[in-house]
Amino acid sequence: MADQPAFTLTIDQNKYLPVDGREVHAILTVGSTGGITVQAGPAEAAEVIIVDTSGSMSGGKIREARQAATTAVQTLRDGVNFAVVAGTQKAKVVYPGGDGLIKASPATRAEAARAISGLSARGGTAIGEWLKMAGHLLSAHPSAIRHALLMTDGQNNERPDVFASVLAAWSGKFVCDSLGVGDDWVPAELRKVAEAMLGTFDFVRNQGDLSEFFRRLTQASMSKTVADVSLRVWVPQAATLKFVKQVSPTLLDLTGKRTDVNPLTGDYPTGSWGTEEREYHICVEVPPGQVGHEIRAGWVKLVRPDTQEVLATGNVLAQWTEDLAQSTRINNKVAHYTGQAELHELIQDGLSARAMGDVDTATARLAKARQLAAASGREDTARLLEKVVEIDPATGTARLRRNVDKADEIELDTGSVRTSRLRKEGS
Amino acid sequence: MICPVCETPVMAGFTYCEACGHALGSPACAWCGAPAVDQDGYCERCGLRQPTGRDHAELELDGGAAAVTDRGLRRARNEDAMALLAAGDAVVTVVCDGVGSSPRADEASAVAVETASAALARGLPQEEAFGLAARAVAKLATSVNDAPACTYVAAVVRPGRISLAWAGDTRAYWLPGGVLLTEDDAVETGEITAWLGADAVDVTLHVRAFAPREPGLLLVCSDGLWRYLDGYAFPRAGTPIEMSREMLRHALESGGHDNVTIALIPLTP
């Protein structure tokens, strides 16, 4: 068994509230470091690789997908339990076959590669079916770090309510990272997968890069050492926890994923962890307070749900003051991530307004997003926005561009959940 | 009986709530009253950080004399200071209120109280104790523009007689009637005309001896209490510490605009 990494929790906030202040904001930085000893073996892992083999994948795409799946299998370390699933309107276990996973070894990896080489493109797309299959396969390994890697090039043919119920049923049971290839897939669908399954989703703009994406995601999954960590948040009796969001490296709203621990405390899942750092934004609405009183507005614990072990704790505070210099001071991290969330919303609102033909709303949102992106160090996003909206440097007038490359739009849509880190002062 | 944190019913005599693990029988919160103050000093129910040190302090002597001091609700810190001690058959109390417009007023009141109470306990007369305290406070100043300052009232209570000395607007009353025993050094608008501090000029200590004919209590208090005494019915029952707490609650419920200090010394003629 692996040693678990050491976790740290730091809290950034301005605890001072004006006399009538009710909203407390804080950024929680959670880091996990080292911890794996030389003697200890790696953590138990279970991996399902899902390849879209629908009809739209025919030609060069299925060749790249076969290569990518093979790369992923080769990246698995010995002893990891795995399976390869081919997805159409159904899910089919192409390796090892049957209803279980198999331990990775030189022999099974070679067998898997042979099975993958026989994949052909034919049929529809039912992402919910694929996830259901992955869930069944992975649930035989409850103590493992359970992960699925999914790629698709097309739109999901399932009824939205069917898809939603599959996501709800399997949310929290395993982590799934997904990839969209080409320009016929819908970012909103993979975003739902990422949100439900606490994973990432990304756009593979050049299908030739697919193998590299598969290798990187498999490697990242292999580096996880803790299957599941929850943020346990207590707020005072008369207070309301308004939201809990992951804000770095990507935006992920956890508010709706609460499991009540007691009337004052709830658990929010964060998924599996390796050596990494993530940041969370929480907002607590507190009851009116007395000047000079300090309260603990939030008591945050990092908890392993399986053992109930507390890995780190921290306090979110609030203190009411009549001193405006204290209460109006802005915490840079809170401001930065509030801005990043706003940027994401502007891009999403702008793109959907554009899709619906609401030119005015789309222009206003996307032009504002462009300014915000440039101001917060998101050069890539600013460059993509520049391809969608044109701003006259002399007059400042914004105008939507015609003939936007579909791939640029998808890249913008997909990338809006990524956030920049706050630059340290002076650098 | 229910757990004050998670509201699960708990059995009397249990040490921990079986549902949430909260330690039952924890100290009561100064704000919401729930027995839920944790080891870090926060209430696990309403979140309040419990007052510590000078924010809220209580003293009680064997003979029943008691004193409380509290930051109140509007000030960032408690600049009142108090001493209450027994010296032979005497009880000595000194209460000082840091002058809000002066720097480090909390240091001024603390050093005045400590110096004067020690001197009075050694048996020095009121004037000498006051002189020592005044010099100690004056020494805190780096210039007349940086002069910590405080008011002053001292009482030495012996069987049948009370010796009082004061400067500024900190007061003494005789209970149960609520008779004011001191006279403020203040102009009509409330600004005080006498204090301890390097910038104080022509301060004359008021000294008064008082021999009560009936049993009663000497109340010494800062303006954080007496500003709310108009029409107030003083508590008639309870020990001095209980009565002090009740008067403090009255001051807080009336707005708690200033620091509050209350000393109560029982006396029989």
Side-chain angles (χ1 to χ4, degrees):
Chain A
M1 281 300 291
D3 262 9
Q4 67 181 24
F7 279 85
T8 56
L9 169 63
T10 32
I11 294 179
D12 279 275
Q13 64 161 157
N14 174 18
K15 71 172 179 176
Y16 292 104
L17 293 177
V19 177
D20 56 354
R22 305 283 304 273
E23 249 184 34
V24 183
H25 289 265
I27 302 295
L28 322 174
T29 304
V30 179
S32 67
T33 46
I36 300 166
T37 60
V38 180
Q39 293 86 353
E44 187 190 348
E47 182 78 37
V48 174
I49 296 153
I50 306 169
V51 183
D52 184 343
T53 57
S54 62
S56 61
M57 287 289 293
S58 59
K61 253 192 251 170
I62 190 73
R63 278 198 299 278
E64 295 292 354
R66 285 197 292 251
Q67 179 56 45
T70 306
T71 305
V73 167
Q74 281 161 353
T75 310
L76 297 171
R77 63 168 183 267
D78 282 350
V80 171
N81 290 289
F82 79 103
V84 180
V85 170
T88 55
Q89 67 273 30
K90 313 192 300 270
K92 182 175 174 238
V93 183
V94 294
Y95 187 81
D99 54 4
L101 303 180
I102 195 163
K103 272 197 192 323
S105 69
T108 57
R109 278 193 290 262
E111 284 170 21
R114 259 194 306 281
I116 290 165
S117 69
L119 290 176
S120 59
R122 166 177 328 115
T125 304
I127 295 173
E129 287 299 311
W130 312 350
L131 290 171
K132 221 191 292 181
M133 174 62 83
H136 285 300
L137 291 168
L138 291 166
S139 55
H141 300 265
S143 60
I145 291 164
R146 297 174 303 282
H147 182 254
L149 170 51
L150 180 157
M151 65 86 36
T152 182
D153 79 326
Q155 305 183 13
N156 195 16
N157 303 139
E158 289 169 306
R159 286 209 335 252
D161 59 322
V162 172
F163 186 41
S165 74
V166 172
L167 292 177
W170 288 98
S171 177
K173 306 287 200 305
F174 63 98
V175 171
C176 181
D177 291 316
S178 44
L179 295 171
V181 186
D183 55 16
D184 192 39
W185 64 285
V186 182
E189 284 167 355
L190 293 193
R191 182 176 298 119
K192 281 183 198 154
V193 174
E195 283 171 1
M197 311 309 295
L198 297 171
T200 62
F201 75 113
D202 216 336
F203 174 35
V204 184
R205 189 162 181 154
N206 304 310
Q207 61 189 47
D209 296 338
L210 192 59
S211 287
E212 177 56 18
F213 274 87
F214 265 56
R215 193 191 58 74
R216 220 170 356 180
L217 286 173
T218 310
Q219 215 162 42
S221 166
M222 296 291 99
S223 72
K224 302 291 181 186
T225 49
V226 182
D228 207 355
V229 173
S230 290
L231 278 177
R232 179 165 293 176
V233 187
W234 169 99
V235 299
Q237 191 178 40
T240 313
L241 187 49
K242 294 190 78 178
F243 62 74
V244 177
K245 288 179 196 166
Q246 179 184 294
V247 292
S248 175
T250 57
L251 295 170
L252 187 56
D253 195 341
L254 303 177
T255 314
K257 297 182 181 295
R258 178 186 176 102
T259 311
D260 279 340
V261 174
N262 63 47
L264 308 183
T265 311
D267 275 357
Y268 297 83
T270 66
S272 57
W273 284 75
T275 297
E276 59 191 298
E277 188 170 282
R278 300 184 204 167
E279 294 184 294
Y280 300 86
H281 183 173
I282 76 168
C283 173
V284 185
E285 187 177 274
V286 293
Q290 296 281 346
V291 168
H293 270 185
E294 180 184 289
I295 65 164
R296 174 195 268 153
W299 190 7
V300 183
K301 293 176 181 172
L302 223 53
V303 178
R304 277 187 73 143
D306 51 348
T307 60
Q308 295 291 306
E309 186 187 352
V310 176
L311 306 168
T313 65
N315 285 326
V316 174
L317 302 176
Q319 185 171 348
W320 288 271
T321 176
E322 284 175 326
D323 183 349
L324 288 175
Q326 286 182 317
S327 61
T328 58
R329 195 183 305 138
I330 286 168
N331 178 276
N332 289 336
K333 263 198 183 174
V334 171
H336 175 73
Y337 286 119
T338 304
Q340 294 291 293
E342 190 192 351
L343 175 56
H344 167 69
E345 273 168 35
L346 288 168
I347 292 172
Q348 291 299 322
D349 288 357
L351 289 178
S352 49
R354 182 175 168 277
M356 289 185 304
D358 180 353
V359 175
D360 289 349
T361 307
T363 311
R365 299 284 195 283
L366 294 170
K368 190 166 177 213
R370 220 200 93 186
Q371 290 172 339
L372 203 52
S376 65
R378 295 270 295 274
E379 286 86 6
D380 289 351
T381 306
R383 203 154 40 235
L384 286 167
L385 282 160
E386 167 75 17
K387 293 181 179 175
V388 179
V389 66
E390 180 180 16
I391 300 175
D392 186 320
T395 62
T397 313
R399 193 160 65 78
L400 290 184
R401 290 186 195 273
R402 296 170 197 284
N403 306 324
V404 175
D405 184 348
K406 189 78 201 309
D408 284 335
E409 186 186 329
I410 290 179
E411 194 173 333
L412 179 62
D413 191 348
T414 309
S416 75
V417 294
R418 266 194 297 273
T419 57
S420 62
R421 299 293 298 262
L422 183 62
R423 293 200 181 96
K424 293 249 170 12
E425 298 283 333
S427 65
Chain B
M1 190 175 160
I2 62 161
C3 169
V5 174
C6 76
E7 296 172 358
T8 305
V10 288
M11 304 281 280
F14 273 31
T15 316
Y16 293 96
C17 168
E18 290 196 314
C20 75
H22 173 71
L24 301 169
S26 300
C29 172
W31 183 248
C32 76
V37 175
D38 70 10
Q39 291 187 339
D40 299 336
Y42 291 97
C43 173
E44 288 192 25
R45 188 159 145 127
C46 77
L48 182 81
R49 185 176 62 99
Q50 301 301 301
T52 54
R54 284 180 75 173
D55 285 347
H56 180 93
E58 299 187 353
L59 293 170
E60 194 177 10
L61 299 183
D62 282 346
V68 298
T69 185
D70 193 278
R71 185 170 53 84
L73 301 177
R74 311 286 284 186
R75 295 292 171 91
R77 62 181 175 191
N78 189 359
E79 298 187 337
D80 281 5
M82 63 177 190
L84 178 70
L85 44 95
D89 65 343
V91 172
V92 172
T93 187
V94 181
V95 172
C96 293
D97 176 355
V99 174
S101 57
S102 76
R104 296 173 282 128
D106 56 329
E107 292 178 34
S109 58
V111 78
V113 154
E114 191 188 334
T115 310
S117 63
L120 293 169
R122 286 203 305 275
L124 294 184
Q126 288 280 13
E127 289 80 358
E128 273 184 54
F130 177 78
L132 290 171
R135 272 197 293 284
V137 173
K139 273 208 289 200
L140 295 173
T142 56
S143 75
V144 286
N145 298 317
D146 175 52
C150 65
T151 66
Y152 180 94
V153 59
V156 180
V157 180
R158 290 198 164 78
R161 61 199 162 95
I162 298 168
S163 156
L164 282 172
W166 71 94
D169 66 350
T170 307
R171 291 182 175 177
Y173 292 83
W174 180 247
L175 304 190
V179 180
L180 179 61
L181 301 177
T182 52
E183 194 181 317
D184 294 347
D185 288 312
V187 295
E188 279 202 3
T189 48
E191 288 91 4
I192 56 170
T193 55
W195 60 88
L196 280 74
D199 58 345
V201 283
D202 298 334
V203 174
T204 318
L205 183 71
H206 303 267
V207 181
R208 176 177 179 183
F210 176 67
R213 283 187 291 273
E214 305 285 335
L217 291 146
L218 176 72
L219 164 65
V220 175
C221 63
S222 63
D223 60 347
L225 175 70
W226 67 247
R227 63 191 290 159
Y228 302 118
L229 288 183
D230 214 11
Y232 176 62
F234 286 100
R236 298 222 161 224
T239 61
I241 188 71
E242 289 163 353
M243 294 166 77
S244 305
R245 288 178 189 146
E246 193 179 328
M247 283 188 255
L248 170 61
R249 204 165 320 130
H250 166 70
L252 298 180
E253 281 168 2
S254 304
H257 276 75
D258 205 343
N259 307 143
V260 185
T261 303
I262 297 161
L264 272 181
I265 302 168
L267 183 66
T268 40

